[in-house]
Amino acid sequence: MRYPGWRLLLFLSAASAPCYWLYLGAIAALGPDPGKVLVDNLGQGALVLLLCSLAMTPLQRLTSWSGWIAFRRQLGLWSFSYAVLHLTAYLYFLLGLDFTSFTLELIDRPYMAVGAIALLGLLVLAVTSNRWSMRKLGKRWKKLHRIVYPVLLVVLLHMLWVVRADAGRWAIYAAIAAALLLVRLPSIERKLSCLQGKAGAK
Ligand code: HEM
């Protein structure tokens, strides 16, 4: 074989061409502003996954099935991954990787700074979600992971700032978040465990 490098390049180009067409097709299908559609949907994806991860503990209490807890960490990590993709899509599609504009936007637009705070919170939760951190932090781990609630509120504030006039979708997310926060209040948690105990005794 005289030019194995060229052959490999040709082979890879031929093999990846359909992926490129797929990519172009997908971008065209997203409408005149594909970057914005991607950024918005990835942001919403991160929020939905965060809400799902917060629903796991109440579901475990309600059903007495500990299996839910195994999903909690995975869903939290997926939420963080989607939030990183949301930021990456914003930097790539809307800012053309112009980091100077990004820094200026962070200073000029409070909703961006609020998003960055939420992302930092999710980062802290993601890097300390492993068994090693749990062992090292001991009782402090639970306390630290309670920051997920303020993080959720900060994400909702970030979204409200963006959608302002069209707050219908936001109101649905906020109502679900409020319900999830309510069922974690100690007094309501106690009442729910009492009800569960009675149901179990019947
Ligand atoms: C540095 C961090 C972040 C930046 C720079 C950022 C930036 C943005 C921008 C520019 C938009 C509006 C896009 C548009 O014009 O429509 C947006 C919307 C949004 N972001 Fe973020 N964001 C960040 C973090 C987050 C995080 C951590 C979450 C959730 C976990 C999140 C969830 C959302 C949601 C739900 C929307 C509204 C989407 C919609 O209108 O449907 N963002 N963000």
Side-chain angles (χ1 to χ4, degrees), residues 47 50 114 118 122 150-160 170:
L47 172 58
L50 185 60
V114 166
L122 287 179
V151 167
L152 174 61
L153 295 179
V154 171
V155 171
L156 285 171
L157 178 65
H158 170 68
M159 184 183 178
L160 181 63
W170 179 86

Side-chain angles (χ1 to χ4, degrees), residues 22-131:
L22 204 70
Y23 167 79
L24 289 181
I27 292 290
L30 288 177
D33 200 348
K36 186 177 154 30
V37 176
L38 272 176
V39 172
D40 286 351
N41 282 290
L42 289 166
Q44 276 198 60
L47 172 58
V48 169
L49 286 163
L50 185 60
L51 290 170
C52 287
S53 111
L54 286 170
M56 294 301 111
T57 305
L59 277 173
Q60 183 247 325
R61 302 262 155 88
L62 234 84
T63 60
S64 305
W65 184 56
S66 57
W68 296 110
I69 299 304
F71 295 121
R72 190 177 56 185
R73 175 171 178 257
Q74 293 304 322
L75 288 164
L77 288 175
W78 277 112
S79 167
F80 172 65
S81 311
Y82 269 76
V84 171
L85 287 175
H86 169 66
L87 172 63
T88 312
Y90 171 65
L91 286 170
Y92 184 76
F93 291 107
L94 300 187
L95 290 189
L97 294 181
D98 181 349
F99 290 96
T100 316
S101 299
F102 178 58
T103 317
L104 291 176
E105 295 251 303
L106 274 181
I107 300 165
D108 286 348
R109 298 177 191 236
Y111 84 85
M112 295 272 295
V114 166
I117 293 169
L119 190 62
L120 277 178
L122 287 179
L123 173 70
V124 170
L125 292 168
V127 295
T128 58
S129 67
N130 48 61
R131 280 182 198 284

